[in-house]
Amino acid sequence: MPCDWPLLGPLQWIRYVNKQVKVKAGRDQEHRGWLLTVDPVSASLVLVTFKEQGGTSVQVVMGHAVEEVQILQEADQETTQRLQNSFLPPSACRLDLKEQTARKGQVRLWLEKNRVPVEEEGEELRVAGVLTITAPYGPDNCYSSNQIILDRIQKLIQNQPDPLETDSGSSESSRN
């Protein structure tokens, strides 16, 4: 019997992201790990396993070989952060909680100022229900299956003025 995994599509696949899964693929093959993402073209799964020695193992299971995907466990906040930070450059992870909160607020205000519908969902920002922005809230922290919206929001965040420049610029213009 052919598998329905490739036919499910991104809206169904997103339900499995950031969850520990067991994937049956091919003949008698079973893979376990935290589902980081699913390739929207090939339906391939990217599984991450955290090693006890501190390393990370990444495995790609080709979408056409998937026979069954079973959720084993939901990720807690620490595991979700660890998954998101696994592939970030070390400098991107250095914001403390106060700076992250301030950055999230700045991005939200910038999007609202540009008439983009945005809501806070815990530590994430959701744009129009189709795009997610995670800490540290930069262009590379935007995730969506809609490439057009993804590109536009990333460009908008890239073009966001630095709040320090904006403050000094407004005080100079008020003196003139």
Side-chain angles (χ1 to χ4, degrees):
M1 178 176 99
C3 177
D4 291 340
W5 178 258
L7 303 175
L8 290 179
L11 293 176
Q12 297 294 324
W13 296 331
I14 197 78
R15 295 178 184 168
Y16 293 86
V17 172
N18 290 339
K19 294 182 175 63
Q20 188 176 38
V21 296
K22 177 171 68 172
V23 180
K24 291 184 182 178
R27 266 193 119 146
D28 301 325
Q29 288 187 358
E30 186 176 285
H31 308 278
R32 291 174 184 249
W34 295 95
L35 183 60
L36 180 67
T37 190
V38 179
D39 176 55
V41 175
S42 67
S44 298
L45 295 89
V46 179
L47 300 177
V48 175
T49 307
F50 300 113
K51 297 181 180 179
E52 290 181 25
Q53 320 70 302
T56 303
S57 170
V58 179
Q59 183 178 23
V60 177
V61 180
M62 301 304 289
H64 68 273
V66 174
E67 293 177 4
E68 181 184 347
V69 180
Q70 178 183 358
I71 295 174
L72 300 175
Q73 179 182 351
E74 299 274 336
D76 57 12
Q77 185 65 30
E78 180 184 340
T79 304
T80 302
Q81 279 297 119
R82 198 169 169 195
L83 282 167
Q84 291 172 355
N85 294 338
S86 294
F87 300 98
L88 291 176
S91 62
C93 302
R94 293 196 180 144
L95 292 179
D96 67 15
L97 187 59
K98 186 178 176 182
E99 292 171 321
Q100 259 186 11
T101 304
R103 175 74 180 142
K104 180 172 67 170
Q106 291 165 356
V107 170
R108 181 180 180 157
L109 287 173
W110 177 246
L111 293 173
E112 288 173 344
K113 183 177 181 177
N114 286 277
R115 304 192 187 282
V116 175
V118 60
E119 297 175 346
E120 286 189 38
E121 288 184 6
E123 294 301 310
E124 299 177 341
L125 294 174
R126 288 284 287 167
V127 176
V130 296
L131 181 136
T132 302
I133 307 171
T134 59
Y137 310 102
D140 295 334
N141 309 112
C142 299
Y143 305 94
S144 177
S145 59
N146 185 321
Q147 190 63 43
I148 294 169
I149 292 175
L150 179 63
D151 289 341
R152 289 183 181 170
I153 297 300
Q154 285 176 322
K155 286 177 185 168
L156 193 58
I157 292 173
Q158 266 178 330
N159 294 328
Q160 179 180 5
D162 185 4
L164 297 175
E165 290 175 14
T166 307
D167 291 344
S168 64
S170 61
S171 60
E172 281 181 28
S173 61
S174 62
R175 281 186 253 152
N176 293 335

